[in-house]
Amino acid sequence: AIMLPVCACRNVFLLRPLPGSAKSLANLELLLKLAQYFAMSRRTIVAALGLVLLGPAVANPEVAAAADARARGLGADDACGMEAGDASGSCAVSALQRGSARSLEKDTGGEDAPRSQSGADDESWVWSKEIIDTQMRADRWNGDAFMQALTDTFAPRMVQHCLRYNAFFWPQLSFWSEEVLRRVEAVPEGLDVQTQQQLQDFSRNASFLMCDFWFDPRKGTNWSEPVVEYMQKVRAMPNTSLELPMLDGWFERSASRDGMWSGDSCMFWASSLMCDIGQLARDLRGNKDHGDGLCWDQVQSPPNGFSVFGVSMQAERPAVKESDADFEHPEYLACQEKPLTKDLLMEYCPMFGHYPSGYMNVTHWGTAFAVGSTQRAQSLTCQKKLGIPESSPTTFGDVTHKAWRAENGGVKLMSDPPADYVPENFFSMEDSSARTAFTHAVRDAVLPVLTPNCDPNDWLCIVKTLGQEGQASAAKSGKTVEGPSAKE
């Protein structure tokens, strides 16, 4: 099983066996039994390779469609479904969109050090605890001291990955947020319910395209030409047009469908912060006039894939190790007057100051736009028209959304696939050194906190200690559980 920390700056993890691995399936069964022993549901497990680590998590097993009956017994409530449409591995990769590539490193480089959140004490800007608890699904840990402690341990590390995701995918974040912004500004305040719903649907659809790894307009990939053609079609539409055209033709190929998915958590982030991202994109663009063109299609796509823990999330591109070079994109200046820098991303990530400092033990949720600034006023007006945050989507049961499934907070941008469609691309960590580095990062960050009296290599001590913590939590809640057998 793999614990995957994720991008949407959320405290959620995914438990998933690698496709085609009987050993992984056997491990998964054992982990679920241990989870029962620890009085936690399968939706509240954090797992490292071969090791159960309980956490403030939603555990979502995903099994390939061809998995055997043991895997099929996991139940219909698993967020990563058994259907062929989920067999591509998108669910597993999406987990990397729910945390931080740096979340489990010992040293965060001071990136989550306390900083001022200018204007963030304004109730019009900071969202209420009731709203953010709903967005974060805080019922998973509220009232449980053990789970709360784990949340407080993981969350400050996990929000850091927001920085790298924004830096890598900025061209599509910039384009789609500005497309939403110009439509929001075209409708009057006090808009009717029907128009607001159309506006919200447009924004939700745009968030899907902001979060699809492959929907990148930059030149140099086999996706570039069809993506640019689609973006130009949208850009040519009037400000009052609140429906996106369907994705057809090239996108309906089986190989293209495999890439037409987005992480639920990333879509939550993009939908909730659409107005703020749009304001930032507009400010960085400055007076650059792209005319009828996109400009981003003239920027060269990076040779590497979006990489987390040294693993490329785009199999057709090589991985790179994380470094400050991830934030160096002078090529973006071809399309905007001001640079997108690491300092700028640290200022606003992960939530533009909409969450109060200290929530989930995170000292910096980003900085609000300055009080009295045009950006702040326009963002608040935009949020009101979109019904943010009251109507902004929270997390749904699906860990990932496909472009043709509208249920559970999804979108309908494509026709349904043919009956014989079977995804071909699977995600796995083929590089054993990457897996080892990932596991060590987990162990080094977590064990000193959860099992301080155990030797790092004494797994029996580790599991026993975690079990005692889980039993204490169970006793508090009045649950009765059976422990695993000695063999297990």
Side-chain angles (χ1 to χ4, degrees):
I2 298 178
M3 186 187 73
L4 298 168
V6 217
C7 101
C9 318
R10 310 283 310 291
N11 69 320
V12 183
F13 289 85
L14 173 73
L15 174 65
R16 175 185 185 265
L18 292 179
S21 170
K23 183 177 180 181
S24 292
L25 292 176
N27 284 343
L28 177 59
E29 290 178 357
L30 173 58
L31 295 175
L32 292 175
K33 290 177 182 177
L34 286 169
Q36 182 182 19
Y37 172 57
F38 295 155
M40 311 307 298
S41 73
R42 73 185 71 168
R43 290 185 178 277
T44 52
I45 301 169
V46 172
L49 289 170
L51 170 67
V52 174
L53 296 173
L54 300 182
V58 173
N60 298 295
E62 182 195 38
V63 184
D68 61 20
R70 292 176 299 170
R72 295 180 187 277
L74 291 178
D77 64 333
D78 292 328
C80 297
M82 300 290 299
E83 57 187 299
D86 278 331
S88 66
S90 61
C91 188
V93 184
S94 173
L96 286 155
Q97 292 183 293
R98 292 178 181 265
S100 166
R102 297 177 58 83
S103 64
L104 298 173
E105 295 178 7
K106 275 186 174 180
D107 181 8
T108 61
E111 290 180 9
D112 68 339
R115 54 169 61 205
S116 169
Q117 290 182 260
S118 175
D121 56 346
D122 184 346
E123 291 184 2
S124 67
W125 190 266
V126 180
W127 299 337
S128 72
K129 187 175 187 301
E130 180 182 5
I131 285 175
I132 60 180
D133 273 353
T134 299
Q135 291 177 340
M136 292 288 105
R137 293 171 60 197
D139 58 307
R140 291 174 294 167
W141 63 81
N142 280 345
D144 188 322
F146 179 55
M147 296 296 286
Q148 184 68 61
L150 285 167
T151 301
D152 291 346
T153 298
F154 282 108
R157 296 178 173 91
M158 295 170 64
V159 297
Q160 300 305 319
H161 191 53
C162 178
L163 306 173
R164 283 182 166 77
Y165 187 87
N166 275 263
F168 192 94
F169 292 108
W170 182 247
Q172 62 204 78
L173 299 182
S174 175
F175 174 85
W176 287 110
S177 62
E178 287 208 69
E179 284 300 306
V180 172
L181 211 59
R182 73 181 178 96
R183 285 163 173 79
V184 168
E185 292 173 346
V187 300
E189 293 190 55
L191 65 169
D192 59 80
V193 174
Q194 182 180 0
T195 303
Q196 185 179 56
Q197 185 61 59
Q198 291 176 324
L199 201 58
Q200 290 172 341
D201 290 345
F202 187 93
S203 179
R204 184 67 173 173
N205 288 335
S207 76
F208 178 92
L209 299 173
M210 292 166 75
C211 294
D212 187 323
F213 288 171
W214 290 269
F215 214 83
D216 189 334
R218 287 173 288 188
K219 63 182 180 182
T221 76
N222 61 330
W223 281 72
S224 301
E225 185 175 337
V227 167
V228 168
E229 182 180 345
Y230 184 83
M231 284 183 165
Q232 287 175 328
K233 187 185 300 184
V234 174
R235 183 174 172 79
M237 295 166 63
N239 296 347
T240 54
S241 176
L242 300 180
E243 288 189 17
L244 283 174
M246 295 290 281
L247 291 158
D248 53 18
W250 186 91
F251 297 105
E252 293 182 303
R253 304 180 314 145
S254 291
S256 301
R257 278 189 184 271
D258 289 354
M260 292 306 303
W261 60 268
S262 290
D264 175 72
S265 57
C266 180
M267 289 175 64
F268 153 77
W269 176 85
S271 297
S272 299
L273 301 178
M274 188 67 73
C275 301
D276 307 305
I277 301 168
Q279 288 296 326
L280 179 59
R282 178 179 288 177
D283 179 64
L284 294 182
R285 180 168 55 84
N287 293 318
K288 286 270 188 177
D289 184 0
H290 302 155
D292 295 330
L294 296 180
C295 185
W296 293 116
D297 58 331
Q298 302 304 309
V299 174
Q300 181 65 43
S301 175
N304 58 281
F306 177 57
S307 302
V308 179
F309 270 107
V311 179
S312 174
M313 298 296 96
Q314 297 165 291
E316 71 277 12
R317 303 186 199 176
V320 293
K321 293 183 178 180
E322 294 175 11
S323 71
D324 278 352
D326 297 344
F327 303 101
E328 297 172 2
H329 290 282
E331 70 274 18
Y332 291 172
L333 290 175
C335 301
Q336 55 190 40
E337 289 185 339
K338 301 176 184 178
L340 180 73
T341 64
K342 180 180 180 181
D343 286 345
L344 189 68
L345 291 172
M346 287 177 65
E347 181 178 358
Y348 293 116
C349 273
M351 294 295 292
F352 284 79
H354 288 298
Y355 283 19
S357 178
Y359 182 72
M360 286 169 53
N361 199 33
V362 175
T363 56
H364 179 61
W365 284 103
T367 304
F369 292 130
V371 175
S373 67
T374 300
Q375 283 181 311
R376 186 186 184 94
Q378 292 181 347
S379 184
L380 287 172
T381 299
C382 170
Q383 290 171 36
K384 183 177 180 180
K385 291 181 180 180
L386 282 171
I388 297 173
E390 292 81 8
S391 299
S392 60
T394 182
T395 53
F396 291 86
D398 289 349
V399 175
T400 58
H401 296 287
K402 309 293 173 132
W404 54 90
R405 290 208 311 244
E407 62 270 18
N408 294 325
V411 298
K412 186 66 175 179
L413 286 171
M414 296 181 70
S415 60
D416 292 339
D420 60 352
Y421 166 66
V422 177
E424 299 178 358
N425 297 322
F426 286 81
F427 167 75
S428 64
M429 286 188 180
E430 300 294 342
D431 185 350
S432 61
S433 63
R435 292 197 298 270
T436 300
F438 181 88
T439 308
H440 286 180
V442 172
R443 185 175 66 181
D444 291 346
V446 175
L447 297 190
V449 178
L450 301 183
T451 59
N453 298 321
C454 295
D455 182 276
N457 295 308
D458 188 350
W459 303 118
L460 289 178
C461 175
I462 291 167
V463 172
K464 181 179 179 181
T465 302
L466 290 173
Q468 291 169 343
E469 294 282 1
Q471 291 288 6
S473 177
K476 180 180 177 182
S477 63
K479 296 178 182 177
T480 302
V481 294
E482 297 180 357
S485 69
K487 181 179 178 180
E488 290 171 338

